[in-house]
Amino acid sequence: VIEERKVAGTSARRVDGIAKVTGAARYTVDLSVPGMAHAIVVRSTRAHARIAKIDRAAAAASPGVLRVVTGDDLLAAGLTPYYGHVVLDHPVLAIERVRFHGEPVALVVAETRREAAEAAELVDVTYEELPAVIDADDALEPDAPILHEQRGERVGDEGMDQGEGGLVGNVCAIATVGWGNVEEAFKGAHLVVEGEYRYPKLYGYAMEPYNALAFFDQGDLVVFSSAQHVYMVRRDLARMFHLPLARVRVSAPYVGGGYGTKSYTKVEGMTAAAAHFTGRPVKLDLSVEEAVLTTRSASARIRARSAFAADGRLLARDFEIVMNSGAYTDNTPLVNSKTANRCFGPYRIPALRVVARSVFTNTVPSSSLRGFGAPQGNIAGELQMDEAAAKLGIDPVELRLRNLVGPGEELMPGKRPLDADLRDDLRCLASALEWPGATVGRSIGLGVSASDAGAYPTSTAAIRIHSDTSITLFTGSTELGQGSRTVLSQIVAEEMGVPLERVSVVNGDTGVVTYERTTGASRTTTITGRAVQEACRDARRRVRDLAAQTLEIPAAEIEDTAGGISARGRELSYGEVIEQWFGAGGEVLGHGAVRRAEGFAKMPPFYEIGCSGLELEVDRETGQIHVTKLTTIGDVGFAINPALVHGQDAGAAMMGLGASLHEELIYDGEQLANPNVVDYRVPRFSDLPDEVIHLLAERRDGSGPYGAKGAGEGAGNTIGGSVASALGRLFGVFPHELPATPERVWRLMNESEKGRRAR
Amino acid sequence: MGRREIQLQLNGGDRRVEVEDQMLLIELVRSLGLVGTKLSCDTQVCGACTVLLDGRPVSSCTTLAIEADGKPVETIEGLADGAKLHPLQEAFIERFAFQCGYCTPGMIVSAKALLDEKPAPDAAEVRHWMEGNICRCTGYQTIVDAILDAADEMRSAR
């Protein structure tokens, strides 16, 4: 019998702590191997153009240059020159045509990075310009230039692809959700709130920019990379080089920030191509400016209508969403469908209609970023609750309480019932924020969300018990900073009854560890954690089998103990069982797998809950917002490591604050005006709210180990709506566009009676 | 392109190295195996590359290596005394003041410069001093807490 929990549920120190505070932690950017050459990317100076000619003679003759690689080289060599986990349309290097300013056109490989950079200036590309389209609505016009006359092959599986129905013109993805008679419901409504809402394009700014190191070892491709999803990257590379999966190894050591931006293939294909053509190990390190040109999140324009009864009950909601998803498909189908599923909020809605379309434009391709469609839709869905409350004269918290879906009720027909108590969460939040607030000149905003986690539940894990009763865990989950090494170690220590110090983790290396679908959508603790539990149980079973053989007693008489077994009054550690069975040395291997079955049969595998809010004040002269208080409720079922959960909530909320107050990628004509962190301002110490409170709600209602469920996105999803609703209550006019920059806030103040009076 | 030999006291040890005139201080320290110092924004706003030059925090991404000639240079690798961590390092672990860890070396080095100059800062002073260091993971509160803890610890150890 396992004793009460000892390790799970404690804020155990991070197992990567010493490495990270001493500078010893190695990221891909720190790696080098003997004979390594360096690559620099030549990027398009046009937003949309046919490539007439690439003259590489001068660059090829430049000192130190080994090779100038183009997309045509990949075609000529018979490689698959495209990547994409849903649609195979993203060229490794541009082929015949460029579709956004900054797109990789060629790669210069040289002995040193400086030589490669100097030669890159000499690559002469002749373009024949094509009409470009930057705005998503313009791209939907009948006469808009079309980016993809021929669509790429669809290679996504059921976990990521919504199919190609309705994809005409520049529409990259379309998702519809709905039920009930929407028009009838609107006709009978006491109040209809209607509006158009905008959410900006964002750059995630993971501080380690994208980079990779690639080489071939006896024909096997080895790639070290800053990737979140090593197994997804492996699939793209295997396809590109026509290699079996077993002959491609992708490894992510420590990763310097991910937040979704390092999901899926980025620079790995280019770097591997350079290694292929030069026969050398090649390193490619992007700058931050180049990272901005690699991935961003999708902006959204949302037309929304909500119908209410006089008592505040929601009768119907209607959303029409257009997202700007950039030049290639990447993860857009999944983000698009999640935006559709998340915009209407965790409310009982008798009639619903959502149509979300993501549109190709000649801009940087968009993909995943923390929240993944949720923040985009949340500003429309949640703000309309606040707008309705103001018009109905009902307290906004009370209005939400009247409409929230209860525990065990379905949010969407046929999907997993809600695994959370949002009403209780919201009451907690309101109380912690001292809602409705009494300080003159300050205003509180808050909100809720329930995200259907975009995590197809395929995970595996393995553990090896060594002959000294120490244990190594193997997991395909990458350590992005979220603390997965620590939490998964805690699960092993808990299950196996060994001290945390006797557990080590090998992770994120497809050549060594077991399969993991992705490291995203807050899945690791919940889904990988379950696989780790299964691996531990498998290993325990094997230990009991070995003990039964050496003790010559039935396995049924053997009981698990902390760190070993007991039988007929004898206590043996794992190591003793192993050594007695083998005679000398040896080990036991346990394997665990979870799939879309049993506890994970119903999608989503869990709901990620957002329940956070803030109090702010505004400088009436400048329009500058100052956040006086920030509060998050971490409804995680069970916090295996409370400090790490608080860390996720704090980080997500602060990212949400950045997007709400400052961050926006701006196109000036056909190129980005602010592709750097000087002009694109992310939160700094001065943005830290005066008071920060992180609370936990633990009801053991998650599908993960000990009732845990995912954290990491939720706290950020509601911050945009919180800022907007707080401003709305302060000035009597609700802003419909983020970020709430000083200029926008100043205009808002001047638009409103209440705002003018307040000045 | 000129080359010259410079002499510096790197984490307490005398080093003579030949450098190109245009070499940056971050390139120098990383080429010497001290890769704890990280490059990020490359425009002197994020603080990830912070090292102490003559006791003062500088962005090594925009400092020439030759500027370090004859001066002490301290990087994250110089803080711990063997296996004994610096109080700031201890406090960062204890307070969970990092996640991905990429900004952490620069963050801790900047904080050390603060505590060297001002052993008893208040929270507002910590926030103000650290404005030049960006962290995308933690939301900053745990970093402020860690620095204040370390200041307490260092004062009581005196």
Side-chain angles (χ1 to χ4, degrees):
Chain A
V1 177
I2 301 174
E3 299 160 41
E4 78 281 9
R5 236 150 255 145
K6 285 183 170 158
V7 191
T10 67
S11 292
R13 286 178 160 211
R14 293 184 66 110
V15 300
D16 54 5
I18 291 172
K20 285 182 173 175
V21 301
T22 57
R26 290 291 175 265
Y27 302 74
T28 306
V29 77
D30 302 323
L31 303 181
S32 63
V33 294
M36 188 171 87
H38 297 264
I40 290 280
V41 183
V42 178
R43 293 179 182 274
S44 170
T45 53
R46 303 290 189 280
H48 199 188
R50 207 167 300 288
I51 300 172
K53 190 179 177 217
I54 302 177
D55 184 349
R56 43 182 153 176
S62 185
V65 172
L66 298 165
R67 173 96 185 206
V68 181
V69 183
T70 67
D72 283 348
D73 293 345
L74 274 70
L75 275 174
L79 306 180
T80 302
Y82 296 95
Y83 65 94
H85 56 287
V86 187
V87 177
L88 212 51
D89 67 2
H90 202 146
V92 175
L93 292 165
I95 292 170
E96 293 172 10
R97 187 163 155 191
V98 290
R99 292 186 180 82
F100 69 96
H101 198 284
E103 179 167 359
V105 172
L107 203 58
V108 178
V109 191
E111 294 292 347
T112 68
R113 192 174 150 80
R114 193 157 285 159
E115 286 167 338
E118 279 164 11
E121 301 284 327
L122 306 174
V123 175
D124 189 11
V125 185
T126 310
Y127 296 101
E128 288 166 7
E129 289 207 40
L130 296 168
V133 60
I134 302 299
D135 180 80
D137 286 305
D138 293 346
L140 287 173
E141 293 292 325
D143 59 345
I146 300 296
L147 270 76
H148 296 273
E149 292 84 356
Q150 280 199 310
R151 299 296 177 115
E153 184 192 344
R154 298 194 87 84
V155 295
D157 55 34
E158 73 163 50
M160 48 182 64
D161 196 5
Q162 305 288 309
E164 54 192 332
L167 303 186
V168 294
N170 283 316
V171 178
C172 168
I174 187 159
T176 57
V177 190
W179 51 77
N181 190 330
V182 173
E183 292 312 325
E184 279 300 312
F186 271 94
K187 271 186 213 147
H190 172 79
L191 169 73
V192 174
V193 179
E194 199 163 354
E196 185 170 290
Y197 305 81
R198 286 172 188 271
Y199 197 82
K201 299 178 184 72
L202 299 174
Y203 163 52
Y205 189 32
M207 291 186 71
E208 179 193 18
Y210 303 107
N211 69 99
L213 163 63
F215 55 90
F216 284 85
D217 179 2
Q218 300 196 93
D220 289 10
L221 173 58
V222 181
V223 176
F224 291 87
S225 138
S226 54
Q228 284 185 231
H229 305 344
V230 286
Y231 279 96
M232 290 281 180
V233 174
R234 179 182 72 158
R235 180 167 173 252
D236 273 328
L237 293 175
R239 184 194 294 116
M240 182 178 164
F241 290 95
H242 314 301
L243 285 169
L245 294 175
R247 302 197 63 184
V248 179
R249 178 182 167 197
V250 181
S251 177
Y254 287 112
V255 178
Y259 327 112
T261 69
K262 290 172 179 169
S263 307
Y264 311 107
T265 301
K266 298 288 186 286
V267 296
E268 295 84 357
M270 270 188 259
T271 316
H276 174 83
F277 287 112
T278 60
R280 295 270 296 270
V282 175
K283 186 78 190 295
L284 172 61
D285 296 334
L286 298 194
S287 65
V288 160
E289 179 156 354
E290 290 180 289
V292 182
L293 298 173
T294 303
T295 307
R296 60 173 175 85
S297 69
S299 54
R301 180 183 61 74
I302 301 175
R303 281 215 50 84
R305 293 193 295 157
S306 298
F308 293 86
D311 64 359
R313 271 182 305 112
L314 264 168
L315 301 173
R317 306 197 93 169
D318 183 11
F319 294 80
E320 192 212 323
I321 303 170
V322 175
M323 301 179 88
N324 187 329
S325 55
Y328 297 105
T329 300
D330 288 1
N331 205 33
T332 293
L334 202 51
V335 173
N336 187 68
S337 73
K338 293 303 171 191
T339 310
N341 288 348
R342 296 168 181 183
C343 63
F344 49 87
Y347 300 112
R348 293 175 178 151
I349 306 167
L352 176 74
R353 177 169 57 210
V354 183
V355 180
R357 286 178 297 170
S358 286
V359 185
F360 288 124
T361 61
N362 295 110
T363 63
V364 171
S366 78
S367 198
S368 317
L369 175 65
R370 205 168 202 160
F372 211 88
Q376 283 95 327
N378 191 269
I379 180 182
E382 281 295 271
L383 205 48
Q384 289 207 329
M385 299 303 282
D386 290 282
E387 291 179 76
K391 288 189 168 138
L392 292 166
I394 300 174
D395 176 280
V397 171
E398 176 57 30
L399 182 80
R400 285 178 169 86
L401 290 172
R402 285 181 197 176
N403 286 288
L404 280 169
V405 168
E409 284 177 40
E410 281 181 345
L411 257 97
M412 286 179 278
K415 302 273 187 175
R416 176 180 294 270
L418 185 64
D419 49 5
D421 188 344
L422 277 168
R423 295 189 200 116
D424 201 38
D425 290 345
L426 180 60
R427 286 191 198 100
C428 257
L429 175 67
S431 155
L433 281 166
E434 295 173 65
W435 173 268
T439 311
V440 175
R442 290 187 182 174
S443 181
I444 297 174
L446 44 71
V448 290
S449 70
S451 293
D452 53 325
Y456 196 88
T458 304
S459 282
T460 70
I463 67 161
R464 288 161 63 197
I465 310 177
H466 306 286
S467 59
D468 65 350
T469 310
S470 65
I471 297 171
T472 307
L473 167 67
F474 294 81
T475 166
S477 190
T478 43
E479 174 63 71
L480 312 169
Q482 80 281 48
S484 59
R485 286 184 189 223
T486 307
V487 167
L488 297 178
S489 297
Q490 286 179 263
I491 294 172
V492 172
E494 187 67 52
E495 294 293 319
M496 302 304 289
V498 298
L500 195 55
E501 305 74 54
R502 296 191 75 78
V503 181
S504 84
V505 185
V506 177
N507 71 324
D509 182 339
T510 68
V512 183
V513 301
T514 61
Y515 180 84
E516 178 64 44
R517 187 170 163 89
T518 68
T519 304
S522 310
R523 67 178 286 137
T524 297
T525 299
T526 310
I527 305 175
T528 315
R530 283 284 303 115
V532 169
Q533 275 187 313
E534 290 302 321
C536 291
R537 287 164 191 176
D538 187 43
R540 279 218 183 245
R541 248 188 322 270
R542 286 164 195 266
V543 168
R544 288 196 301 269
D545 284 346
L546 301 194
Q549 290 174 40
T550 48
L551 298 173
E552 296 179 344
I553 57 172
E557 285 188 33
I558 299 171
E559 288 194 342
D560 291 336
T561 61
I565 56 111
S566 74
R568 295 191 184 173
R570 287 187 64 184
E571 298 265 344
L572 292 176
S573 69
Y574 300 131
E576 286 167 333
V577 173
I578 290 167
E579 289 204 320
Q580 284 180 17
W581 191 86
F582 281 96
E587 69 175 20
V588 161
L589 182 68
H591 182 257
V594 297
R595 60 187 177 126
R596 196 178 161 188
E598 295 161 26
F600 292 123
K602 253 193 179 177
M603 293 291 270
F606 60 91
Y607 281 95
E608 173 153 3
I609 302 307
C611 186
S612 56
L614 46 81
E615 180 193 64
L616 55 76
E617 58 190 17
V618 173
D619 183 321
R620 307 297 162 122
E621 297 304 315
T622 64
Q624 187 89 39
I625 292 172
H626 176 73
V627 179
T628 47
K629 193 166 175 180
L630 174 72
T631 303
T632 65
I633 307 293
D635 181 344
V636 295
F638 175 68
I640 293 173
N641 187 312
L644 288 176
V645 175
H646 291 326
Q648 286 302 300
D649 287 346
M654 190 56 110
M655 271 200 167
L657 212 48
S660 307
L661 302 186
H662 313 293
E663 296 180 34
E664 178 170 25
L665 284 173
I666 295 167
Y667 266 88
D668 178 11
E670 296 184 353
Q671 52 178 308
L672 278 169
N674 56 346
N676 58 71
V677 285
V678 178
D679 301 310
Y680 183 93
R681 190 191 180 289
V682 300
R684 298 169 163 277
F685 275 88
S686 52
D687 294 287
L688 179 53
D690 297 340
E691 189 184 356
V692 180
I693 302 169
H694 302 300
L695 300 173
L696 288 174
E698 298 179 281
R699 302 185 191 91
R700 311 282 174 118
D701 47 10
S703 50
Y706 324 118
K709 60 196 170 193
E713 298 177 0
N717 293 340
T718 55
I719 296 294
S722 297
V723 167
S725 65
L727 289 172
R729 278 189 284 276
L730 203 54
F731 300 130
V733 182
F734 289 84
H736 285 193
E737 187 168 13
L738 292 175
T741 57
E743 186 193 335
R744 283 190 184 134
V745 173
W746 194 83
R747 284 178 194 282
L748 190 75
M749 272 192 289
N750 284 292
E751 253 176 53
S752 76
E753 253 327 288
K754 204 173 161 187
R756 277 196 301 273
R757 275 203 313 272
R759 293 189 71 206
Chain B
M1 175 173 6
R3 296 179 70 85
R4 68 175 83 174
E5 191 182 78
I6 63 169
Q7 187 186 350
L8 63 161
Q9 294 94 52
L10 186 56
N11 295 331
D14 283 330
R15 295 291 291 258
R16 279 178 179 282
V17 281
E18 198 182 78
V19 301
E20 290 175 3
D21 286 349
Q22 66 196 42
M23 189 184 216
L24 297 165
L25 185 53
I26 189 168
E27 294 175 313
L28 174 62
V29 297
R30 286 180 62 89
S31 73
L32 295 173
L34 302 176
V35 296
T37 303
K38 295 291 189 273
L39 182 68
S40 184
C41 75
D42 213 3
T43 48
Q44 221 177 352
V45 298
C46 80
C49 67
T50 306
V51 301
L52 300 186
L53 177 59
D54 211 4
R56 300 168 62 86
V58 299
S59 294
S60 62
C61 76
T62 43
T63 303
L64 290 171
I66 54 174
E67 293 177 59
D69 193 10
K71 293 177 185 159
V73 174
E74 192 169 6
T75 70
I76 187 66
E77 289 89 350
L79 262 71
D81 180 9
K84 188 175 159 38
L85 298 180
H86 187 278
L88 275 164
Q89 293 171 316
E90 284 286 355
F92 267 61
I93 292 175
E94 195 58 41
R95 285 284 190 172
F96 291 77
F98 56 88
Q99 290 178 25
C100 84
Y102 199 79
C103 73
T104 310
M107 199 67 78
I108 290 178
V109 167
S110 287
K112 179 174 186 293
L114 166 65
L115 300 188
D116 285 348
E117 187 173 307
K118 196 168 180 60
D122 62 24
E125 287 168 324
V126 170
R127 292 181 186 202
H128 183 71
W129 178 279
M130 299 301 293
E131 182 71 1
N133 288 77
I134 290 173
C135 170
R136 285 293 268 169
C137 294
T138 62
Y140 298 114
Q141 182 65 54
T142 53
I143 299 176
V144 175
D145 294 340
I147 294 170
L148 292 173
D149 280 1
D152 283 348
E153 175 63 29
M154 288 164 75
R155 281 200 310 280
S156 62
R158 256 181 213 133

